[in-house]
């Protein structure tokens, strides 16, 4: 970290220091004013919105200026008895499990491979990480093209002798969720890769060398040495995946609109549909509050687990 | 990690990784190849002639810049305050902020949407900037505070003994010393602001106010699902991000990774 500027700038400080009393010199200046802008911006906006959501969630509210009518917990009981809500929860769980497994294992494998002697490593790195950077909204027409009935995926399948697997991926209820999961995996492996690449770089080469002298094979080194040392990264990714699964919106909305017949619907698309398309604001707010409870519950659970370890 | 003693095993590793990145290349190839089908470069000409195309990029750039400026200033100030100044019940304030860390933006949708009609939030950049900034701040404050905690108090103490006021300490000690973290904060906010989709989708309706993430559906509307032009449009829209990433590779990777390595 560059520290060169400090000394010169400090001594240039606003000339003669007023004599200070010993005790006061130890007292730090008050800082409330310094945290206030950030506090008002984040806590203010967010807590206000949560409070407002809470209020809306007890109303039958169709938007506009007419206001809502109080209906108590009806929105919540409606949501909790609605198969669409449980469908979205189920998709979220499936999404989380599949994305986490593939993202983490592929991230580890790519990181280990690129820590080995591979030519043009930078090119591979860029190709793997690029999907993380490009906006889902910008890439989604391309993904729709890839999975189209006459698209490249089916073309590839037909040319490697798997015609039987060729199908209309986006339009059928059995595969729409898989497409959303696949695209998310495509765009998130690079992120896991970067984290694993960084944490593997911190393993002492001597330890690996010692294991090799003891006769450990490549896979053995990976399994017993490398993977255990990246446990922290795996855990961090799992936590981040819980949150990103719960707040998922862009890909399901852009690829399938949650369909067909809600087979790739998530809480994000569900809330958006209720709030924006149907202007059923009270119900959307109740869903949002349930989502909030799940997100907070998940982060408390993971924090507790983190503390145990 | 993998040791490849023989030429053969090195070759196998190379082939293996090449096969494994094919799924990553397929969408990129589809985009590029698709955009040159049919009229070839004519697709690009058509896309570039879309009226107000420049507006989309200008608006995205504006939103990203303002969001970065806001988040940067309030984050640095808050990190300074939390880490180096005297605040009563500091941790209470801190945890109130951190509680908002995992908040999904859809939660803001219903209340913002309800307010939108009343306060006239439609087609206002602030309807996008403020929520994005608000959602980023807890996280950037957490990152930066942890970083600033690592700067020795002595440096600030020394500045004060030399007669520097709080503002001067902030400006001459904290800002220069936290530059590495600032890069991560800027990249993180840049990507999140530039890529944001839900809030612009809901609040920026007039084409004069729309942003790049809304371009694909605009193209789809314009070209009646003429895939070649949609692909050309996607490529043109992704290009600034691809160029920015390739030329600033290290910063992007570090900025994104900073997120998870708290």
């Amino acid at each position: 970290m560059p520290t060169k500027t400090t000394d010169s700038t400090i001594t240039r400080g606003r000339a003669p220091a007023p004599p200070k009393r010993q005790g006061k010199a130890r007292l730090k200046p008050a800082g409330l004013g310094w945290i206030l802008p950030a506090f008002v911006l984040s806590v203010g906006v967010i807590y206000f919105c949560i409070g407002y959501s809470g209020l809306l969630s007890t109303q039958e509210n169709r938007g506009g200026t007419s206001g809502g009518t109080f209906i108590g917990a009806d929105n919540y009981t409606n949501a909790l008895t609605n198969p669409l809500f449980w469908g979205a929860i189920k998709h979220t769980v499936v999404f989380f499990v599949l994305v986490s497994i593939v993202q983490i294992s592929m991230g580890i494998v790519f990181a280990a491979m690129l820590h080995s002697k591979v030519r043009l490593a930078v090119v591979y790195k860029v190709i793997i990480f690029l999907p993380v950077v490009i906006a889902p909204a910008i890439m989604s027409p391309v993904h729709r093209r890839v999975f189209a009935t006459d698209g490249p995926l089916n073309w590839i399948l037909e040319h490697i002798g798997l015609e039987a697997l060729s199908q209309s991926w986006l339009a059928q209820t059995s595969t729409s969720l898989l497409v959303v999961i696949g695209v998310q995996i495509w765009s998130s492996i690079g992120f896991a890769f970067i984290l694993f690449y960084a944490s593997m770089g911190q393993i002492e080469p001597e330890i690996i060398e010692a294991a090799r002298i003891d006769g450990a094979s490549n896979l053995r080194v990976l399994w017993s040495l490398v993977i255990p040392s990246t446990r922290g990264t795996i855990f961090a990714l799992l936590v981040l995946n819980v949150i990103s699964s719960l707040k998922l919106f862009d890909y399901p909305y852009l690829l399938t609109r949650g369909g067909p017949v809600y087979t790739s619907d998530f809480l994000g698309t569900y809330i958006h549909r209720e709030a924006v398309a149907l202007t059923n604001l009270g119900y959307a707010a109740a869903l949002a509050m349930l989502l909030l409870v799940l997100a907070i519950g998940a982060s408390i659970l993971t924090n507790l687990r983190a503390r145990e370890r | 990690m993998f040791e490849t003693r023989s030429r053969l095993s090195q070759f196998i590793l190379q082939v293996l990784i090449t096969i494994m990145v094919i799924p990553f290349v397929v969408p990129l190839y589809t985009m590029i190849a698709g955009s040159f089908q049919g009229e070839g470069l004519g697709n690009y000409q058509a896309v570039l002639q879309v009226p107000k195309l420049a507006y989309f990029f200008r608006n995205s750039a504006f939103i990203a810049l303002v969001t970065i400026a806001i988040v940067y200033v309030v984050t640095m100030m808050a990190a300074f305050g939390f880490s180096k100044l005297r605040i009563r019940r500091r941790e209470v304030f801190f945890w109130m902020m951190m509680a908002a860390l995992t908040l999904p933006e859809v939660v803001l949708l219903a209340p913002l949407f309800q307010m939108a009609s009343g306060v006239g939030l439609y087609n206002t950049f602030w309807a996008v900037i403020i929520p994005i900034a608000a959602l980023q701040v807890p996280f950037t404050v957490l990152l930066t505070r942890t970083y600033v905690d690592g700067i020795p108090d002595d440096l600030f103490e020394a500045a004060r003994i030399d007669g520097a006021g709080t503002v001067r300490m902030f400006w001459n000690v904290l800002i220069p010393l936290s530059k590495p973290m600032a890069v991560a904060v800027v990249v993180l906010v840049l990507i999140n602001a530039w890529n944001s989709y839900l809030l612009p989708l809901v609040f920026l309706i007039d084409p004069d106010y729309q942003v790049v993430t809304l371009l694909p559906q605009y193209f789809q509307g314009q070209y009646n699902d003429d895939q070649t032009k949609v692909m050309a449009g996607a490529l043109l829209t992704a290009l600034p991000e691809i160029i920015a990433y390739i030329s600033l590779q290290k910063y992007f990777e570090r900025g994104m990774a900073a997120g998870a390595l708290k």
Side-chain angles (χ1 to χ4, degrees):
Chain A
M1 312 298 92
T3 53
K4 52 183 174 3
T5 45
T6 49
D7 286 355
S8 58
T9 43
I10 289 166
T11 41
R12 259 192 278 124
R14 200 177 302 162
K20 282 187 195 121
R21 274 162 294 162
Q22 196 67 38
K24 211 177 175 197
R26 305 234 150 201
L27 204 63
K28 289 176 175 177
L32 195 61
W34 289 84
I35 64 164
L36 214 55
F39 198 75
V40 171
L41 177 64
S42 62
V43 175
V45 170
I46 289 168
Y47 284 43
F48 172 78
C49 281
I50 292 175
Y52 200 15
S53 253
L55 179 70
L56 278 173
S57 71
T58 62
Q59 295 176 346
E60 163 85 37
N61 192 318
R62 290 283 161 182
T65 43
S66 50
T69 41
F70 180 79
I71 54 166
D74 281 8
N75 284 322
Y76 290 95
T77 45
N78 286 344
L80 290 171
T81 52
N82 194 327
L84 289 185
F85 174 77
W86 294 108
I89 297 282
K90 198 186 96 192
H91 302 151
T92 307
V93 173
V94 173
F95 177 94
F96 167 76
V97 171
L98 289 184
V99 168
S100 296
I101 291 173
V102 181
Q103 180 208 26
I104 289 172
S105 51
M106 293 302 284
I108 289 175
V109 170
F110 275 125
M113 282 177 133
L114 288 171
H115 262 303
S116 317
K117 261 197 208 124
V118 170
R119 269 167 218 224
L120 298 173
V122 182
V123 177
Y124 293 104
K125 254 171 98 177
V126 167
I127 291 174
I128 295 168
F129 195 70
L130 204 52
V132 180
V133 184
I134 308 178
I138 292 172
M139 276 313 276
S140 57
V142 180
H143 292 300
R144 285 182 57 87
R145 183 85 207 107
V146 169
F147 288 98
T149 317
D150 59 345
L153 179 60
N154 281 342
W155 186 89
I156 292 173
L157 289 174
E158 278 152 27
H159 282 76
I160 55 173
L162 294 169
E163 294 96 333
L165 284 177
S166 155
Q167 51 199 303
S168 55
W169 299 93
L170 285 159
Q172 59 190 20
T173 53
S174 54
T175 49
S176 58
L177 183 62
L178 281 179
V179 172
V180 174
I181 291 172
V183 172
Q184 173 74 20
I185 289 171
W186 176 84
S187 75
S188 68
I189 285 181
F191 182 63
F193 159 72
I194 286 295
L195 298 188
F196 285 121
Y197 192 80
S199 70
M200 282 180 197
Q202 285 161 2
I203 302 173
E204 309 267 338
E206 290 82 15
I207 298 176
I208 292 176
E209 208 43 52
R212 282 203 207 287
I213 291 168
D214 289 348
S217 67
N218 278 327
L219 288 181
R220 175 88 201 170
V221 168
L222 182 69
W223 186 253
S224 318
L225 255 174
V226 178
I227 293 180
S229 72
T230 57
R231 227 186 294 135
T233 310
I234 295 176
F235 187 72
L237 279 167
L238 287 174
V239 174
L240 289 172
N241 281 350
V242 171
I243 304 301
S244 60
S245 312
L246 281 171
K247 67 171 168 204
L248 192 67
F249 172 77
D250 291 8
Y251 276 133
Y253 180 78
L254 286 154
L255 293 171
T256 62
R257 289 283 190 275
V261 224
Y262 308 113
T263 45
S264 56
D265 204 18
F266 286 82
L267 284 170
T269 46
Y270 191 15
I271 293 172
H272 174 267
R273 188 170 61 241
E274 291 290 344
V276 178
L278 307 171
T279 45
N280 194 359
L281 292 179
Y283 188 67
L287 288 174
M289 296 304 282
L290 290 171
L291 168 52
L292 190 65
V293 170
L294 287 172
I296 291 174
S299 49
I300 290 175
L301 270 181
T302 47
N303 266 325
L304 287 180
R305 275 229 49 202
R307 215 157 286 171
E308 268 170 33
R309 294 162 75 241
Chain B
M1 290 299 134
F2 295 126
E3 207 175 33
T4 45
R5 286 264 161 83
S6 64
R7 275 274 167 86
L8 180 69
S9 59
Q10 196 171 336
F11 178 72
I12 291 173
L13 185 67
Q14 192 82 34
V15 171
L16 204 61
I17 193 166
T18 308
I19 293 172
M20 282 167 60
V21 294
I22 288 176
F24 290 86
V25 182
V26 167
L28 299 174
Y29 174 79
T30 306
M31 177 165 69
I32 297 167
S35 72
F36 285 110
Q37 273 164 14
E39 296 163 44
L41 278 175
N43 294 328
Y44 286 92
Q45 269 170 0
V47 168
L48 285 170
Q49 272 159 20
V50 165
K52 299 186 171 166
L53 183 68
Y55 281 39
F56 288 83
F57 286 92
R58 187 201 62 187
N59 295 341
S60 271
F62 177 79
I63 289 175
L65 281 179
V66 176
T67 313
I68 289 171
I70 293 175
V71 173
Y72 176 76
V73 171
V74 304
T75 299
M76 288 300 153
M77 286 176 67
F80 181 48
F82 276 126
S83 184
K84 300 296 176 211
L85 302 177
R86 172 176 48 87
I87 298 167
R88 263 213 276 169
R89 296 197 199 84
R90 161 180 27 204
E91 297 311 312
V92 176
F93 286 116
F94 191 68
W95 285 109
M96 278 181 78
M97 223 163 168
M98 291 311 114
L101 203 58
T102 55
L103 191 91
E105 59 185 349
V106 270
V107 173
L108 307 183
L109 200 58
L112 284 177
F113 196 71
Q114 165 70 7
M115 280 190 289
S117 42
V119 199
L121 275 177
Y122 286 110
N123 298 323
T124 324
F125 290 134
W126 296 113
V128 175
I129 291 172
I130 297 289
I132 294 178
L135 289 172
Q136 294 293 310
V137 162
F139 191 54
T140 54
V141 168
L142 174 65
L143 284 181
T144 316
R145 183 197 171 169
T146 318
Y147 188 84
V148 175
D149 279 345
I151 302 175
D153 282 353
D154 298 354
L155 289 175
F156 294 91
E157 209 44 42
R160 217 152 57 77
I161 289 166
D162 284 348
T166 324
V167 176
R168 236 193 144 72
M169 282 200 282
F170 176 71
W171 193 250
N172 288 344
V173 183
L174 183 110
I175 293 288
L177 285 182
S178 55
K179 244 182 225 152
M181 203 63 236
V183 173
V185 168
V186 167
V187 168
L188 211 63
V189 180
L190 172 69
I191 293 177
N192 280 314
W194 187 272
N195 287 1
S196 71
Y197 176 66
L198 175 61
L199 292 165
L201 174 73
V202 175
F203 293 110
L204 306 178
I205 294 156
D206 188 328
D208 282 6
Y209 290 92
Q210 290 190 337
V211 296
V212 292
T213 45
L214 299 172
L215 264 176
Q217 71 195 50
Y218 186 76
F219 287 140
Q220 267 156 0
Q222 288 268 312
Y223 297 116
N224 245 334
D225 264 336
D226 175 352
Q227 285 298 328
T228 60
K229 306 225 168 44
V230 173
M231 291 302 115
L235 186 64
L236 279 179
T237 324
L239 213 53
E241 282 187 299
I242 296 175
I243 292 170
Y245 165 56
I246 290 177
S247 47
L248 298 169
Q249 231 187 84
K250 217 178 260 164
Y251 296 110
F252 268 66
E253 289 164 5
R254 220 184 282 154
M256 294 296 278
L261 304 173
K262 327 175 207 180

